[in-house]
Amino acid sequence: QVQLQESGPGLVKPSETLSLTCAVSGYSISSGYHWGWIRQAPGKGLEWIGNIYRSGITYYNPSLKSRVTILADTSKNQFTLKLSSVTAADTAVYYCGRVDWTFDYWGQGTLVIVSS
Amino acid sequence: QSALTQPPSASGSPGQSVTISCTGTSSDVGGYKYVSWYQQHPGKAPKLMIYEVTKRPSGVPDRFSGSKSGNTASLTVSGLQAEDEADYYCSSYAGSNNVLFGGGTKLTVL
């Protein structure tokens, strides 16, 4: 059974970099599939952030591309989201998931609030 | 690229059927087989209900079905049950390694 768990600070100051990690169990991220991030602002819909493939190839939402970096650490079977220059508009629940242009497994999500 | 268009709300009585639409363009919904539907209960992570337009993951009741015609995909829930009350989101591959989501539909079981 594939399981994903997000972790990271729940509070980030404006203009700083948000950093979240997704730990994967039950499947090796180097074996295949893409691994991605989605976010959901309070009371709003889902927004795709980006994916990383086992080879390290990344794909990002064009609207966030200039601020997003996704990295994979295959030795720890985890991948990381970094979002720079955050503002209040980046306040959201952030989910990680396994992707095949469909998110079939999801983490439980972690709330990140951007505030001074 | 704009979000896919879903009605904000839908409703039905127990036992009835309800269909939720998801409208895009020929560059996303109409152009690819990668249309998915997700169910989200309050405070919970989304759950995959339909993938590749019509396929159901293991464990999803066959009351849930998907279809597509042109640039519009649809999710039909038959034999509505109280536990089907949730938000539903569609998504589609949109080319150039992009993914689009719909704005979500709140399904109410009357």
Side-chain angles (χ1 to χ4, degrees):
Chain A
Q1 175 75 352
V2 180
Q3 293 184 314
L4 301 98
Q5 179 67 58
E6 305 90 349
S7 63
L11 181 64
V12 181
K13 290 182 168 58
S15 80
E16 294 189 344
T17 295
L18 176 161
S19 183
L20 296 174
T21 295
C22 181
V24 181
S25 60
Y27 194 91
S28 170
I29 65 172
S30 60
S31 294
Y33 286 94
H34 297 241
W35 302 88
W37 292 93
I38 287 173
R39 69 181 182 179
Q40 185 172 34
K44 302 296 185 182
L46 302 171
E47 179 181 31
W48 174 67
I49 299 172
N51 299 342
I52 186 166
Y53 189 56
R54 58 180 177 173
S55 60
I57 295 174
T58 51
Y59 309 112
Y60 300 135
N61 185 325
S63 68
L64 298 169
K65 187 174 183 177
S66 64
R67 299 194 291 130
V68 174
T69 302
I70 298 177
L71 304 167
D73 185 340
T74 55
S75 67
K76 295 182 178 179
N77 211 39
Q78 63 186 34
F79 57 104
T80 299
L81 168 70
K82 294 186 183 297
L83 181 66
S84 64
S85 305
V86 297
T87 69
D90 295 309
T91 292
V93 174
Y94 286 76
Y95 296 99
C96 62
R98 191 178 79 167
V99 192
D100 187 16
W101 302 120
T102 284
F103 280 74
D104 59 355
Y105 288 97
W106 296 66
Q108 64 184 24
T110 187
L111 174 63
V112 178
I113 296 172
V114 178
S115 175
S116 55
Chain B
Q1 49 184 7
S2 301
L4 307 176
T5 300
Q6 296 182 234
S9 63
S11 63
S13 299
Q16 289 186 332
S17 293
V18 63
T19 297
I20 299 170
S21 62
C22 171
T23 301
T25 69
S26 58
S27 297
D28 38 70
V29 173
Y32 302 97
K33 69 175 183 177
Y34 296 108
V35 176
S36 306
W37 289 91
Y38 303 90
Q39 176 191 66
Q40 187 180 35
H41 287 110
K44 300 294 187 182
K47 174 187 176 183
L48 179 64
M49 305 301 284
I50 296 288
Y51 68 101
E52 292 182 13
V53 181
T54 62
K55 298 178 181 179
R56 271 190 320 276
S58 174
V60 172
D62 60 6
R63 302 185 294 103
F64 291 85
S65 62
S67 63
K68 187 178 79 167
S69 178
N71 298 334
T72 298
S74 298
L75 172 72
T76 297
V77 186
S78 305
L80 270 176
Q81 299 182 4
E83 59 262 35
D84 299 332
E85 184 161 298
D87 293 329
Y88 290 84
Y89 293 90
C90 64
S91 74
S92 174
Y93 180 68
S96 301
N97 300 306
N98 291 328
V99 176
L100 288 178
F101 279 93
T105 298
K106 181 177 180 59
L107 175 60
T108 301
V109 180
L110 301 170

